[in-house]
């Protein structure tokens, strides 16, 4: 600072060369200046004709202090404080020089300097001694005290002289002031001024006479024409009631001011406004960027343009820091601010206040959105879907927050998933139970519908297989069960996928990979949020394991527990005005409020009736569902369970936990056993109904069979294949590490499957015997009643489905049993052993024994009546009195022989046209019975056989034996020899000898008879080999 600048500061008693306001101390009255001008005013009073109050008029001349270099104190009153003083303790001659040497800015700061000057009222002895005499000794201070005492004594003597010499002046001035004040105060009072008490001083009298003479010539003198009334005088009295003498001129001044405002106000105001607007426009243009920050922030928030928002916030923060630096510089005394700087600081402060309000509100909104934000959908091929949670976290980190948004989002996501899993499972469970109850309380499907669905594996095309699995109501429930399990366990779009995605993101935060893409905020203030504590990592791992256990326990409870009783969750639908919170967002998958699950709370669906059905114990099995639909859907459901368990078992926090691994293993194996048990029960129930599809309609492939074996073979293979997929879960076991979670089926499970496999065959075979042995007239209607013509295939005819005789049914059943025994059962056993890698020799032997018994029973049922009829015919013919020939050489057969053979022809025709594979066995058996009947009939005759009778018997037996030679068996041959022995025993020796002579002729007769019946009995001939 130059010496000229310092001189200006000292002269005007200011701190800066660029003051921004008028000092308050300059406005206070200068009492000392008024006292100094009193005498001069008295001397001029007689020379001028002025008011009696002219002595009070302030002299506007420039008065200077009597002491050169005098200054004013902090209250604006001038005193004798000098710019510099000698040391009052007798030291150096300049206190300011000593302070300057010590580094104190006493020349720049006048207040600080006055505290070291003895002539100042703000003199501080303590401060003075601590700086000026900081290194003085005790002796030097004592000498300084003596010097100060002497100086005080000298100044006291001078002061006494001054007072004594000016005492008369002081008294005279005091008297004059008192008289003038009293006269002004009592103006307008009743007591005349002349009667006021006077001071008994000649000086005072002289002064009083002077004032009375002057006042008589003033404008307010009583000698004037316009003599004011006493009330007008009171207006000018120096009292409070007259507002200390200004009441009289107040009203005229107000009127003049109003008039002036009316005339000159618009002109002066317009110019002022113009100047104001110009100044404002210039300031706005200069600070345009500051004004634009607030609206730009609002626009970015509305557009959700977070990048631009952060840029604008950085800009606003830069402006605020600049303004703060400017203000701090001014407050530190390093210079003053110009008007433009002050204005810029003010608008920046207002702008920053608005920006902070907007940012705070925006942060609160971001926190709310971060709580309720949904997981982003998986990106499709070739597309990058923005991750909204990461964007929100990035914005919060960029703007700067106290709480850690990463940890906050992870915790809120954990709470959201935990609530969503529980609520979704309970909701799905109740919806499934509602449909299950309605299905259980409805009428069972008609038998024709059941049969049509059981034919599905053979009749349905591959593209139409789903439609023929089961009834629409059952398929609807199966679809709901599958979709519910899929929603819980699917890794793409399901809750399990959300849980795994949550852990992937948490693991990325734990590893620090995600933080690489997140901002650190302004000046790195958010960098502390990039690190997760060890306790936080452990809590995340525990939370993830807890979510998996909740999901696992929910799924296992659905399969392992019986159907629930409480369905009150669906009594009241969710209100549409529910606020958006994590808990209310849980029900988003069910927000559609399907009409199937709407019902009156006073009339809920009744519980399932207890009829002893196996499906009543399974919450996942639709009532009246067949095994075919069960294998199809349970295969998909168990594949979902196995795949989910495998996905979870490979995750890092779960792979090292033996408890979690055991839980996943229990989930798969327990669910598998429950599914197998439910399917096995339905398998038996379907097998019990399978015989109802027997219409004895011929198979198009093999006419000796009905369609039942093919249907049963396809059905059994479908169920066995489904059980194979349920037991071994092939879609999951092919993955690496699956053997840890998916164990081989238990012996109990395999024993159950073996038992039910054998039982289904037994059930069908026993029902086939019952249907075949029913009486034709009544039981045909019973068998065919469930079927209508529309259910028959194109290869069937109404004649095939109606009017089947009992013998035909027996033959077809025997043919079916034969097919079971030779082809179908071996196929099924091979399929079973291949599917389950299990040999079942005991079951195979048992089934074969059962088939043999059934075959024998049916064979007997068919051949028994025919054999009895043939035996009766032979017996009646031989035991007839007319049987013995009347001639010595019989040449014809007896009629019973033709009748017997014609019966065989009928049986041959029936068997050959119905079941050709059974022909040889049936005819051979009947031939044996015929030979046996000959033996019984010959024995039945009591008389001995003569030669003609012997010849007739031989001719009859030989003709039948030669005709049926193709069907001769060892047993038949043995019986025939027994017949001849019996004839030999019943005749004499001479007859036998004569018979030997007649044998050539008898052979000729026999040949002739066979030639004559070639056409009638040609069916018994051996067919010629095809060349």
């Amino acid at each position: 600072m130059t010496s000229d600048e310092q001189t200006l500061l000292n002269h005007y008693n200011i701190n800066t060369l660029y003051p921004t306001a008028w000092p308050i101390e300059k406005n206070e009255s200068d009492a000392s200046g008024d006292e100094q001008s009193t005498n001069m005013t008295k001397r001029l009073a007689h020379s001028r004709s002025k008011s009696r109050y002219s002595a009070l008029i302030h002299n506007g001349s420039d008065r200077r202090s009597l002491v050169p270099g005098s200054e004013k104190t902090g209250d604006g009153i001038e005193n004798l404080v000098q710019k510099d003083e000698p040391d009052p303790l007798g030291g150096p001659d300049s206190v300011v020089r000593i302070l300057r040497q010590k580094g104190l800015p006493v020349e720049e700061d006048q207040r600080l300097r006055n505290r070291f000057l003895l002539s100042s009222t703000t003199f501080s002895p303590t401060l003075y001694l601590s700086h000026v005499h900081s290194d003085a000794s005790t002796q030097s201070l004592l000498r300084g005290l003596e010097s100060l005492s002497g100086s005080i004594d000298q100044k006291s003597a001078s002061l006494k002289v001054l007072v004594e010499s000016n005492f008369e002046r002081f008294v005279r001035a005091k008297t004059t002031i008192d008289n003038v004040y009293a006269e002004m105060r009592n103006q307008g009072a009743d007591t005349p001024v002349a009667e006021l008490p006077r001071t008994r001083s000649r000086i005072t009298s002289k002064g009083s006479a002077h004032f009375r003479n002057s006042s008589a010539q003033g404008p307010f003198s009583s000698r004037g024409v316009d003599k004011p009334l006493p009330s007008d005088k009171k207006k000018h009295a120096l009292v409070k009631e007259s507002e200390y003498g200004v009441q009289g001129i107040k009203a005229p001044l107000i009127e003049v001011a109003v008039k002036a405002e009316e005339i000159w106000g618009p002109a002066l105001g317009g110019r002022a406004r113009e100047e104001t607007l110009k100044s404002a426009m210039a300031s706005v243009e200069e600070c345009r960027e500051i004004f634009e920050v607030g609206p730009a922030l609002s626009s970015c928030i509305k557009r959700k343009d977070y990048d631009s928002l952060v840029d604008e916030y950085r800009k606003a923060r830069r402006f605020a820091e600049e303004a703060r630096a400017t203000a701090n510089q001014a407050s530190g005394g390093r210079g003053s601010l110009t008007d433009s700087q002050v204005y810029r600081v003010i608008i920046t402060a207002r702008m920053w206040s608005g920006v902070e309000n907007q940012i705070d509100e925006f942060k609160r909104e971001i926190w709310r959105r971060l709580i309720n934000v949904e997981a982003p959908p998986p990106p499709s091929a070739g597309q990058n879907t923005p991750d909204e949670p990461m964007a929100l976290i990035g914005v919060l980190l960029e703007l700067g927050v106290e709480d850690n948004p990463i940890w906050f989002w992870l915790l809120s996501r954990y709470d959201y998933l935990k609530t969503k899993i529980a609520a979704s499972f309970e909701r799905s469970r109740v919806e499934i139970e509602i449909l299950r109850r309605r299905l259980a309380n409805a009428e069972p499907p008609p038998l024709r519908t059941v049969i049509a669905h059981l034919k599905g594996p053979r009749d349905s095309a591959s593209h139409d297989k789903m439609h023929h699995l089961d009834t629409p109501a059952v398929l609807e429930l199966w679809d709901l069960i599958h979709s519910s399990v899929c929603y819980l366990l699917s890794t793409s779009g399901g809750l399990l996928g959300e849980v795994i995605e949550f852990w992937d993101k948490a693991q990325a935060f734990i590893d620090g990979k995600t933080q690489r893409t997140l901002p650190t905020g302004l000046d790195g203030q958010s960098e502390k949020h990039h690190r997760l504590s060890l306790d936080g990592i452990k809590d995340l791992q525990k939370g993830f394991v807890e979510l998996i256990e909740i999901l696992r326990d929910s799924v296992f409870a659905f399969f392992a527990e019986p159907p629930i009783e409480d369905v009150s969750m669906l009594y009241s639908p969710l209100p549409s005005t529910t606020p958006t919170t994590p808990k209310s967002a849980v029900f988003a998958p069910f927000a559609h409020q399907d009409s199937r699950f709407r019902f009156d709370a006073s009339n809920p669906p009744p519980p399932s009736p207890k009829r002893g059905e196996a499906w009543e114990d399974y919450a996942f099995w639709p009532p009246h569902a067949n095994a075919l639909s069960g294998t199809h859907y349970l295969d998909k459901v168990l594949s979902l369970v196995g795949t989910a368990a495998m996905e979870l078992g490979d995750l890092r926090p779960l792979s090292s936990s033996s408890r979690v691994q055991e839980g996943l293993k229990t989930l798969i194996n327990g669910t598998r056993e429950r599914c197998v048990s439910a399917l096995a029960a339905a398998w038996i129930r379907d097998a019990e109904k399978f015989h109802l599809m027997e219409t004895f309609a011929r198979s198009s492939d093999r006419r000796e069979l009905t369609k039942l074996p093919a249907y049963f073979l396809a059905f059994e293979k479908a169920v066995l294949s489904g059980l194979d997929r349920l037991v071994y879960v092939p879609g999951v076991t092919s993955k690496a590490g699956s053997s840890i979670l998916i164990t081989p089926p238990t012996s109990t499970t395999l024993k159950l499957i073996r038992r039910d496999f054998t039982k289904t065959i037994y059930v069908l075979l026993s029902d086939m015997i019952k249907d075949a042995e029913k009486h034709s007239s009544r039981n045909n209607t019973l068998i065919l009643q469930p079927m209508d013509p529309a259910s028959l295939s194109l290869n069937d005819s109404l004649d095939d489905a109606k009017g089947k005789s009992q013998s035909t049914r027996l033959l077809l059943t025997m043919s079916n049993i034969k097919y079971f025994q030779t082809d179908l059962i071996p196929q099924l056993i091979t399929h079973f052993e291949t599917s389950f890698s299990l040999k079942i020799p005991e079951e195979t032997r048992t089934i074969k024994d059962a088939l043999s018994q059934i075959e024998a029973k049916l064979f007997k049922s068919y051949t028994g009546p025919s054999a009895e009829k043939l035996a009766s015919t032979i017996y009646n013919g031989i035991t007839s009195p007319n049987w013995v020939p009347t001639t010595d050489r019989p040449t014809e057969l007896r009629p019973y022989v033709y009748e017997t053979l014609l019966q065989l022809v009928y049986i041959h025709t029936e068997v050959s046209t119905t079941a050709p594979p059974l022909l040889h066995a049936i005819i051979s058996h009947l031939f044996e019975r015929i030979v046996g009947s000959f033996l019984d009939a010959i024995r039945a005759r009591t008389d001995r056989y003569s030669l003609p009778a012997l010849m007739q018997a031989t001719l009859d037996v030989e003709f039948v034996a030669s005709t049926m030679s193709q069907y001769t068996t060892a047993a038949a041959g043995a019986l025939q020899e027994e017949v001849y022995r019996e004839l030999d025993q019943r005749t004499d020796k001479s007859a036998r000898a004569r018979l030997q002579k007649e044998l050539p002729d008898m052979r000729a007769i026999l040949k002739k008879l066979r030639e004559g019946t070639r056409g009638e009995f040609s069916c018994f001939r051996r067919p010629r080999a095809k060349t």
Side-chain angles (χ1 to χ4, degrees), residues 870 873-874 877 891-906 930 934 952 955-957 959-960 963-964 1005-1017 1020:
L870 291 171
T873 301
I874 294 172
T891 59
E892 297 291 336
L893 299 173
R894 289 305 179 185
Y896 80 91
V897 176
Y898 290 102
E899 184 178 353
T900 300
L901 290 176
L902 287 176
Q903 290 182 23
L904 283 178
V905 169
Y906 174 77
I930 289 173
F934 273 115
Q952 186 66 50
L955 192 61
D956 292 345
V957 172
F959 180 80
V960 172
T963 302
M964 303 296 297
I1005 295 172
L1006 183 62
K1007 182 178 181 181
K1008 181 180 179 181
L1009 291 174
R1010 291 193 62 185
E1011 290 293 333
T1013 59
R1014 183 185 297 273
E1016 289 85 348
F1017 306 121
F1020 298 124

Side-chain angles (χ1 to χ4, degrees), residues 422-586:
S424 300
F425 170 69
E426 292 300 328
R427 177 83 182 200
S428 299
R429 201 177 190 183
V430 172
E431 289 184 352
I432 291 171
E433 178 60 19
I434 293 299
L435 291 188
R436 204 187 72 85
R437 289 187 180 185
R438 288 177 178 168
L439 195 57
N441 287 282
E443 291 294 330
L447 289 177
R448 63 172 59 90
T449 304
V450 175
I451 298 303
H453 292 145
L454 294 180
K455 292 180 178 180
R458 178 174 174 81
D459 288 348
S460 302
S462 58
H463 66 276
D464 199 26
K465 183 178 180 181
M466 287 294 302
H467 178 70
H468 290 83
L469 282 177
D470 218 319
T471 61
V474 171
L475 294 180
E476 179 186 18
L477 182 51
W478 274 125
D479 287 332
L480 179 60
I481 293 172
H482 176 258
S483 61
S484 299
V485 176
C486 185
Y487 180 71
L488 291 174
L489 297 182
S490 176
T491 55
S492 58
L495 290 180
L496 179 60
E498 294 188 35
V499 174
I500 294 177
E501 182 186 6
F502 162 72
W503 176 246
D504 290 340
K505 290 186 177 295
Q507 188 64 52
F509 281 118
I510 293 173
D511 298 338
K513 297 178 181 178
T514 306
Q515 290 89 325
R516 299 171 186 171
T517 61
L518 294 177
T520 58
L522 300 173
D523 301 329
Q525 60 180 348
S526 298
E527 189 174 1
K528 59 183 179 180
H529 297 320
H530 285 205
R531 296 180 297 274
L532 297 178
S533 63
L534 294 178
D535 293 338
I537 294 173
K538 292 180 180 179
D539 291 339
L540 281 176
Q541 293 175 346
K542 292 179 181 178
F544 174 66
V545 172
E546 183 181 0
L547 291 177
I548 295 303
E549 289 179 343
I550 293 174
L551 193 59
R552 180 203 65 199
D553 294 342
S554 299
V555 176
F556 185 71
F558 174 69
F559 286 97
E561 296 177 0
I564 59 175
E565 299 293 336
D566 184 15
V567 294
S568 59
M569 182 180 182
L570 292 183
Y571 281 0
S572 300
L574 291 175
S576 58
T577 57
T578 304
T580 303
T581 62
K583 292 186 178 181
S584 66
V586 165

Side-chain angles (χ1 to χ4, degrees), residues 914-930:
T914 303
L918 302 177
L919 179 62
H920 190 274
I922 292 175
I923 301 300
S924 298
H925 175 73
L926 290 178
F927 177 63
E928 290 177 5
R929 294 294 299 272
I930 289 173

Side-chain angles (χ1 to χ4, degrees), residues 643-888:
T643 303
M646 293 299 300
E647 291 286 345
L648 294 175
D650 293 338
L651 295 178
R652 187 189 306 175
L654 304 181
S655 59
S656 59
S657 174
S658 59
R659 180 175 59 85
V660 176
Q661 293 291 326
E662 286 298 324
L664 295 176
K665 187 184 300 183
T666 302
L667 170 65
I668 297 177
N669 299 327
T671 302
R672 177 178 62 184
E673 291 181 2
R674 290 282 291 179
C675 291
V676 169
S677 299
L679 182 58
W683 190 16
I684 298 297
R685 188 173 61 253
D686 292 341
E688 293 173 351
K689 301 175 183 177
F690 219 89
H691 70 99
L692 298 176
M693 70 174 63
E694 182 61 277
T695 62
F696 296 99
R698 304 295 185 88
S699 173
S700 59
D701 299 331
R702 299 180 63 174
R703 300 296 294 177
E704 72 275 9
L705 302 176
T706 65
K707 295 182 177 181
L708 179 63
Y711 287 137
F712 184 71
L713 178 62
F715 171 77
E716 288 289 290
K717 284 187 175 181
V719 175
L720 287 175
S721 299
L723 282 170
D724 176 37
R725 293 191 297 271
L726 288 181
V727 169
Y728 296 104
V729 199
V732 181
T733 53
S734 59
K735 298 180 179 180
S738 59
S739 59
I740 300 176
L741 298 178
I742 303 178
T743 59
T746 62
S747 58
T748 304
T749 302
L750 293 177
K751 184 178 180 180
L752 173 66
I753 297 174
R754 292 170 62 178
R755 183 198 67 188
D756 291 344
F757 171 67
T758 307
K759 189 174 181 179
T760 55
I761 297 175
Y762 283 163
V763 168
L764 178 62
L765 294 177
S766 61
D767 289 337
M768 289 172 62
I769 295 173
K770 293 177 183 179
D771 290 343
E773 292 180 346
K774 288 179 181 178
H775 298 290
S776 59
S777 61
R778 187 184 69 179
N779 292 309
N780 280 341
T781 305
L782 239 155
I783 295 172
L784 301 176
Q785 185 176 2
M787 308 299 296
D788 62 13
S791 65
L792 301 175
S793 66
L794 296 176
N795 295 324
D796 298 332
S797 65
L798 295 180
D799 293 336
D800 290 331
K802 298 180 181 179
K804 297 294 183 182
S805 65
Q806 185 178 9
S807 60
T808 303
R809 294 202 308 274
L810 284 172
L811 284 174
L812 291 174
T813 304
M814 290 168 60
S815 181
N816 289 340
I817 294 298
K818 193 67 175 179
Y819 176 71
F820 270 73
Q821 191 174 20
T822 59
D823 195 356
L824 189 145
I825 296 301
Q827 284 190 50
L828 290 180
I829 292 175
T830 302
H831 186 79
F832 182 93
E833 293 177 346
T834 304
S835 299
F836 300 100
S837 301
L838 181 67
K839 297 294 183 180
I840 51 173
E842 184 178 350
E843 286 79 1
T844 302
R845 184 169 53 254
T846 304
I847 293 173
K848 289 182 177 180
D849 293 342
L851 285 172
S852 299
Q853 295 175 10
I854 293 172
E855 183 185 24
K857 184 177 181 179
L858 290 175
F859 191 83
K860 182 178 179 181
S861 297
Y862 178 77
T863 59
S866 298
E868 291 176 1
K869 186 176 181 181
L870 291 171
S872 176
T873 301
I874 294 172
Y875 183 83
N876 293 332
I878 293 177
T879 58
S880 173
N882 299 326
W883 177 73
V884 179
T886 57
T887 62
D888 295 337

Side-chain angles (χ1 to χ4, degrees), residues 50 55 70-71 80 142-143 151 247 494 534 781 847 877 898 957 962 978 1023:
K50 294 183 179 180
S70 63
E71 297 180 352
L80 298 178
L142 291 176
R143 287 194 300 270
S151 177
Q247 185 176 6
L534 294 178
T781 305
I847 293 173
Y898 290 102
V957 172
S962 62
E978 186 68 24

Side-chain angles (χ1 to χ4, degrees), residues 412-424 499 543 546-547 550 586:
S412 62
R413 189 68 183 165
Y414 160 76
D415 293 334
Y416 168 77
L417 290 174
K418 182 178 180 181
T419 306
K420 187 175 183 179
I421 290 172
S424 300
V499 174
E546 183 181 0
L547 291 177
I550 293 174
V586 165

Side-chain angles (χ1 to χ4, degrees), residues 48-282:
R48 290 178 297 180
S49 176
K50 294 183 179 180
S51 170
R52 68 178 67 183
Y53 305 108
S54 59
L56 301 178
I57 298 176
H58 182 73
N59 192 350
S61 62
D62 186 15
R63 301 186 302 271
R64 298 183 178 273
S65 175
L66 297 176
V67 181
S70 63
E71 297 180 352
K72 291 185 179 181
T73 61
D75 55 2
I77 301 175
E78 192 172 4
N79 53 29
L80 298 178
V81 179
Q82 302 295 313
K83 294 181 180 179
D84 194 3
E85 292 180 353
D87 186 4
L89 297 183
D93 57 354
S94 175
V95 174
V96 174
R97 180 169 51 82
I98 296 174
L99 295 174
R100 191 186 307 113
Q101 293 175 355
K102 292 182 176 295
L104 294 179
V106 291
E107 291 185 351
E108 292 81 1
D109 192 347
Q110 181 180 349
R111 289 184 176 84
L112 178 62
R113 183 181 61 193
N114 289 344
R115 301 195 68 182
F116 293 95
L117 299 180
L118 183 63
S119 60
S120 174
T121 57
T122 60
F123 174 74
S124 174
T126 304
L127 193 64
Y128 174 80
L129 290 175
S130 62
H131 285 78
V132 178
H133 294 278
S134 59
D135 54 354
S137 63
T138 305
Q139 295 298 327
S140 64
L141 291 176
L142 291 176
R143 287 194 300 270
L145 178 61
E146 294 177 357
S147 176
L148 180 61
S149 300
S151 177
I152 292 174
D153 292 340
Q154 292 178 2
K155 289 185 179 181
S156 297
S158 301
L159 186 60
K160 289 179 181 179
V161 173
L162 179 63
V163 171
E164 290 176 357
S165 60
N166 292 281
F167 181 74
E168 185 178 353
R169 291 182 182 177
F170 293 155
V171 173
R172 190 185 310 121
K174 176 66 168 63
T175 303
T176 302
I177 292 171
D178 291 342
N179 291 338
V180 172
Y181 176 71
E183 188 174 348
M184 293 178 65
R185 183 185 61 188
N186 298 326
Q187 185 175 7
D190 296 336
T191 305
V193 180
E195 296 180 1
L196 292 176
R198 298 182 180 179
T199 305
R200 297 192 179 188
S201 173
R202 57 183 181 87
I203 301 174
T204 305
S205 300
K206 183 180 179 180
S208 299
H210 164 75
F211 281 108
R212 283 195 300 269
N213 294 335
S214 301
S215 62
Q217 299 174 0
F220 299 100
S221 174
S222 59
R223 299 176 184 178
V225 179
D226 299 328
K227 183 178 180 180
L229 297 175
S231 59
D232 293 335
K233 293 181 179 181
K234 290 182 179 180
K235 294 180 181 180
H236 306 292
L238 200 63
V239 293
K240 184 176 182 180
E241 290 78 3
S242 62
E243 299 183 10
Y244 300 99
V246 298
Q247 185 176 6
I249 62 173
K250 184 176 182 179
L253 288 176
I254 292 175
E255 292 178 2
V256 170
V258 171
K259 202 67 175 177
E261 182 67 24
E262 291 179 357
I263 297 174
W264 297 101
L268 297 177
R271 187 176 183 83
R273 282 195 299 272
E274 181 183 1
E275 295 297 330
T276 302
L277 290 176
K278 287 182 178 179
S279 176
M281 287 292 293

